Amino acid sequence: MDFFGTIMAPFKWLVSIIMIGFHDGLSTIGMPAANGWTWTLSIIGLVLVIRAALIPVFVKQIKAQRGMQLLQPDLKKLQDKYKGKTDQLSRQAMAQEQMAMYKKHGTNPFSACLPMLIQMPFFFALFQVLSGISQAKDQGNGIGAMSHEQVVEFDASSIFGAPLSASLLHGGGGGNQTAVWILSIVMILAMTASQFITQKQIMAKNMSEEAMASPFMRQQKMMLYILPIVFGVGGINFPIGVLIYWTTTNLWTMGQQFFVIRRMPTPGSPAAKALAERRAAKGLPALSILTGKKDAAAEAEAEAAAAIAEAKGQRVQPQRKNRKKK
């Protein structure tokens, strides 16, 4: 086994164990064990488990992004301080001050990549499991935690006449090639479209004016169109089962981003202004840009203002004086 295979072996076992767990559970409640839809739901279950496990990482990512937003003025001052200084010592000093700033505020620009980096080994593991199904069947072997019988069962399973282990480029034995082509193209389009829509809504609604005007934004706009093309071209090699996995995880990401944009938007973005207007219309206090929860200072100020208004509007009852008896 090569070095990459050694690293991926635990992930292949974990991916296949989760799939088998969902498959056995679905079979227990009455779904046919050899049916392609049973295995399809097992792949979707794998996505749900992985993405649910990544929720704490995603929350940390959001907080890190909020921290980076707060650091933008200080980072701009640091860049202006070393503007025009290209010598090695100046660049090193700027890098050290920048890292110290990140450490002080508990954030860094790489936090946004964490969910993707953590998820990629599972994606590659699933790709290796599904693309190796046919070979394992022919050699009489299992793959990952899947036994040889389960490998044979998976290889024979299909949806709409297309085997889950088949791909657009390589096809699949025993299946309808036209169905493989049609289903693969539909899944590739769904995969790339969901990814494009997710990135587009972030750029349109959840980026501040400063971020939109930065030189980095031009690169982001290029990536908006380049990444879907890359995944679309690469999708011709993906087995249908992998396309199902990637489309499902993209849909999860799209829904997750919709929730974040509506409830925890980036400070200064159109979504943040819309949220502030909605809460102001309801008489609710502002939310903390770091946590998305009620800001303590704003809430206390709102309560004090409400108490003052109530006191002013309350009628003072006259006190009855005790009269002396004659």
Side-chain angles (χ1 to χ4, degrees), residues 70-263:
L70 293 176
L71 280 179
Q72 290 305 311
D74 293 335
L75 289 174
K76 184 66 169 58
K77 292 179 182 178
L78 184 62
Q79 292 170 356
D80 293 340
K81 176 182 176 181
Y82 288 96
K83 186 176 181 180
K85 298 179 181 181
T86 58
D87 59 285
Q88 181 67 24
L89 289 177
S90 296
R91 288 201 300 267
Q92 185 176 356
M94 179 179 174
Q96 290 176 347
E97 289 186 37
Q98 195 169 342
M99 293 304 296
M101 192 180 301
Y102 292 149
K103 185 176 181 180
K104 178 181 177 182
H105 291 83
T107 186
N108 65 78
F110 305 107
S111 299
C113 303
L114 276 178
M116 177 67 73
L117 292 176
I118 294 175
Q119 191 178 182
M120 287 311 292
F122 295 97
F123 170 74
F124 285 124
L126 181 65
F127 178 82
Q128 288 187 348
V129 169
L130 299 189
S131 60
I133 287 289
S134 296
Q135 183 180 0
K137 183 199 70 171
D138 295 338
Q139 295 177 350
N141 298 326
I143 184 168
M146 297 175 67
S147 65
H148 176 64
E149 291 74 16
Q150 290 169 326
V151 166
V152 173
E153 187 179 273
F154 187 94
D155 187 67
S157 64
S158 62
I159 55 174
F160 302 116
L164 294 177
S165 57
S167 65
L168 178 61
L169 185 62
H170 302 292
N176 187 323
Q177 295 303 311
T178 302
V180 171
W181 274 71
I182 294 174
L183 186 57
S184 296
I185 291 172
V186 169
M187 295 301 299
I188 290 172
L189 290 176
M191 177 181 68
T192 54
S194 57
Q195 186 175 30
F196 178 84
I197 293 171
T198 300
Q199 294 302 317
K200 185 69 175 178
Q201 73 174 351
I202 292 173
M203 294 173 63
K205 299 180 180 179
N206 204 35
M207 297 190 74
S208 63
E209 294 180 2
E210 294 80 3
M212 293 293 290
S214 66
F216 179 71
M217 190 60 194
R218 289 193 291 269
Q219 300 177 7
Q220 288 293 98
K221 288 181 179 179
M222 290 178 60
M223 297 301 290
L224 174 66
Y225 297 96
I226 291 175
L227 279 180
I229 294 175
V230 170
F231 275 92
V233 173
I236 64 176
N237 287 300
F238 295 165
I240 290 174
V242 174
L243 292 177
I244 292 171
Y245 172 92
W246 204 246
T247 302
T248 305
T249 196
N250 281 356
L251 292 174
W252 175 293
T253 301
M254 188 165 62
Q256 192 170 249
Q257 286 296 345
F258 178 81
F259 175 83
V260 169
I261 289 173
R262 184 168 178 83
R263 302 295 299 272

Side-chain angles (χ1 to χ4, degrees), residues 276 279-280 282-288 293-300 302-303:
R279 293 187 66 83
K282 297 178 181 179
L284 299 174
L287 296 180
S288 169
K293 299 179 181 179
K294 291 182 181 178
D295 185 78
E299 188 175 9
E303 290 178 355

Side-chain angles (χ1 to χ4, degrees), residues 10-28 32-33 35-50 122-133 143-147 150-151 153-155 157 164-165 239-242 244-245:
F11 293 99
K12 289 171 66 174
W13 275 90
L14 185 57
V15 163
S16 54
I17 286 173
I18 295 174
M19 284 178 56
I20 291 171
F22 275 100
H23 178 267
D24 292 345
L26 292 169
S27 301
T28 301
N35 189 277
W37 288 106
T38 306
W39 285 106
T40 298
L41 291 176
S42 300
I43 294 172
I44 294 175
L46 171 67
V47 175
L48 299 180
V49 169
I50 293 175
F122 295 97
F123 170 74
F124 285 124
L126 181 65
F127 178 82
Q128 288 187 348
V129 169
L130 299 189
S131 60
I133 287 289
I143 184 168
M146 297 175 67
S147 65
Q150 290 169 326
V151 166
E153 187 179 273
F154 187 94
D155 187 67
S157 64
L164 294 177
S165 57
I240 290 174
V242 174
I244 292 171
Y245 172 92

